Amino acid sequence: MTAPLTTSPAAPGAAPGPGNGNGAAPAPATPAARFTAGLATTPGRLALATTVAVVACLLLGVTGFLAGSSQSAALRDAQRDAAQLVGTQELRNDLVSADATATNAFLVGGLEPAEARARYEASLSEAAQAVPSLAATARGAGEAADLATISDSVQRYAGLVESARANNRQGFPVGAAYLDQASAALRDEVLPTLDEVSVSTSERVDDDMGSVSLAQALLLFVLLGLVALGAVQLWLARRTHRVLNTGLAAASVALLVGGVVATAAVLGGNGVARSVASGPYAATVATSQALSLATDAKSMESFTLIKRGSGADFEESYQTSLAGAQDLLVEAQDAVGGDTGSQDLLAAWDAKHAEIRELDDGGNWEEAVDAATSTADDSAGAAFAAFSDSAHAEVETTSMAAVDRLGSAATTALIAAWVALVLGVAGAVAATAGMNVRLKEYR
């Protein structure tokens, strides 16, 4: 006999349902799975391409803006610090010039010539006015404190010179001692501090020039944005079999113009910084330092006569300062690429100094003093004045050239930064509009 067919009972708790053999509901899709599924469709890929195009446009705009604006700021810093350095060196020159004039006038004895007194007061007045101005624009509390110390030391120097002048008018030998103290205070307290300020400012200028070149690194992102947008266009042309998309074409033009503008401005600004650093700025620093050394040599010339037979050390200092000034003028000439004229004038004054030394060494001290203090057209004083005026004019010309070129480059870089940003945003809008046209075709 055949056994009857039976149906096995269903497992407890199981209910029939769609999607699987045991009736369980399907697991929900993860975001990653939904994203991957979306990329499998043409609309999904078009949406991704739209995002890439927009990011590429904004990348170029933002990095172009950062490159231009950062370089503009670095150029402005270099412009300000270069002007600060020139001002500091001019302050040093004014003080050394005042000392040279006071020392030379001391040789006359009694009441010094009115012209020499006027030059001394003019140099000291310019120095006194320059100190607070430089302190106001100093970067860092240390430099401001140093300049405040210099102001106090200059006042003490002026007081010692007045004491020397008063005693010299009455024929008291102690006047020479006061003059020695004044000159020592200037060279031991003021000038070394000024030199420290100059060194720190010069280092900042070098750092500023280095920051100018760093902006070039951002141009790589500008190139990346152009490449990404080009890749989107190529993919779209192959996908849709249409060569031109108006929106993407407009975005490409905007990015190309923005990229060219930003690149040209940044590379041009870097070129300006390098040419200024090796050209007018280098010439300014070298000429200003040469003027300071030559003026110091002028003081040494007077001291060799004041010491009457015991001024060999001062003559040695004269020769050292003069040699340094000559070397610096050669550097300035190389920087500007032509004869500055000051070298010949310095040589002419040195020839007059040789005549003074010949008179003094030959026992004609009074004649040597007359030659050193004379203001005639063919005198040593006139020769030095001609050199000094020429050097001052060269410093003013080259410093203005350096400041103007750095300022112009900074303005150009900032304009280019805004152009790149505006065109980057415009390109993003145009790219979105162009891609939306294709997206609508699949909806």
Side-chain angles (χ1 to χ4, degrees):
M1 176 181 286
T2 304
L5 296 174
T6 58
T7 303
S8 300
N20 54 39
N22 60 9
T30 63
R34 288 197 299 269
F35 178 75
T36 302
L39 290 181
T41 65
T42 299
R45 292 171 182 170
L46 284 172
L48 178 61
T50 301
T51 302
V52 172
V54 170
V55 170
C57 293
L58 294 178
L59 177 66
L60 185 145
V62 171
T63 54
F65 176 79
L66 291 176
S69 59
S70 63
Q71 187 180 78
S72 177
L75 286 166
R76 291 294 182 193
D77 288 342
Q79 180 189 38
R80 181 181 61 251
D81 290 334
Q84 182 80 357
L85 177 60
V86 173
T88 302
Q89 291 185 332
E90 285 297 287
L91 169 60
R92 191 186 197 282
N93 288 336
D94 287 334
L95 291 172
V96 176
S97 178
D99 187 60
T101 303
T103 306
N104 187 259
F106 191 88
L107 284 169
V108 177
L111 185 62
E112 70 274 18
E115 182 181 353
R117 182 65 183 176
R119 286 200 308 270
Y120 166 80
E121 291 180 346
S123 296
L124 201 62
S125 176
E126 290 176 3
Q129 293 174 10
V131 171
S133 176
L134 290 171
T137 55
R139 293 176 64 183
E143 288 186 9
D146 287 340
L147 289 167
T149 301
I150 289 172
S151 180
D152 294 338
S153 298
V154 168
Q155 293 180 12
R156 190 163 75 87
Y157 166 80
L160 290 170
V161 170
E162 288 306 310
S163 297
R165 177 173 175 257
N167 282 278
N168 191 47
R169 290 180 62 184
Q170 300 179 56
F172 296 155
V174 72
Y178 278 115
L179 188 65
D180 280 344
Q181 290 182 34
S183 186
L186 183 69
R187 285 168 172 74
D188 295 342
E189 300 175 13
V190 179
L191 299 186
T193 304
L194 272 178
D195 290 340
E196 291 177 2
V197 173
S198 295
V199 168
S200 62
T201 307
S202 179
E203 290 175 349
R204 282 204 312 273
V205 174
D206 293 339
D207 291 341
D208 296 335
M209 296 296 188
S211 298
V212 170
S213 63
L214 290 178
Q216 295 178 113
L218 293 173
L219 295 178
L220 294 175
F221 293 98
V222 172
L223 178 61
L224 179 62
L226 287 170
V227 171
L229 186 61
V232 170
Q233 287 183 288
L234 181 60
W235 175 85
L236 185 65
R238 290 180 175 178
R239 185 69 180 177
T240 63
H241 304 289
R242 297 175 183 176
V243 176
L244 180 66
N245 180 287
T246 305
L248 285 180
S252 297
V253 172
L255 260 65
L256 185 61
V257 173
V260 168
V261 169
T263 301
V266 170
L267 294 179
N270 188 50
V272 168
R274 289 200 308 269
S275 64
V276 167
S278 61
Y281 171 72
T284 298
V285 173
T287 304
S288 182
Q289 291 176 344
L291 177 59
S292 181
L293 287 174
T295 307
D296 190 63
K298 178 65 175 174
S299 295
M300 298 302 102
E301 177 184 81
S302 299
F303 271 114
T304 57
L305 297 174
I306 290 174
K307 295 303 180 180
R308 301 195 65 165
S310 58
D313 291 342
F314 294 102
E315 175 61 18
E316 183 178 346
S317 296
Y318 169 92
Q319 295 298 339
T320 301
S321 296
L322 185 74
Q326 290 170 335
D327 291 342
L328 287 167
L329 289 178
V330 172
E331 292 181 15
Q333 178 179 338
D334 293 341
V336 298
D339 188 5
T340 60
S342 294
Q343 288 175 280
D344 293 338
L345 294 173
L346 182 63
W349 171 59
D350 185 43
K352 294 294 182 181
H353 170 79
E355 294 176 5
I356 294 172
R357 292 310 318 144
E358 184 178 355
L359 289 171
D360 187 27
D361 293 340
N364 300 312
W365 182 83
E366 293 182 355
E367 293 182 18
V369 169
D370 290 340
T373 57
S374 174
T375 57
D377 292 341
D378 60 344
S379 65
F384 182 81
F387 161 75
S388 179
D389 291 343
S390 175
H392 274 296
E394 288 168 10
V395 168
E396 183 176 358
T397 299
T398 53
S399 64
M400 287 299 297
V403 169
D404 289 346
R405 289 176 62 183
L406 290 172
S408 177
T411 300
T412 300
L414 187 58
I415 292 174
W418 283 105
V419 169
L421 182 61
V422 170
L423 290 178
V425 173
V429 174
T432 302
M435 295 298 289
N436 282 339
V437 172
R438 296 291 173 262
L439 278 168
K440 290 179 181 178
E441 296 175 354
Y442 293 89
R443 292 174 180 170

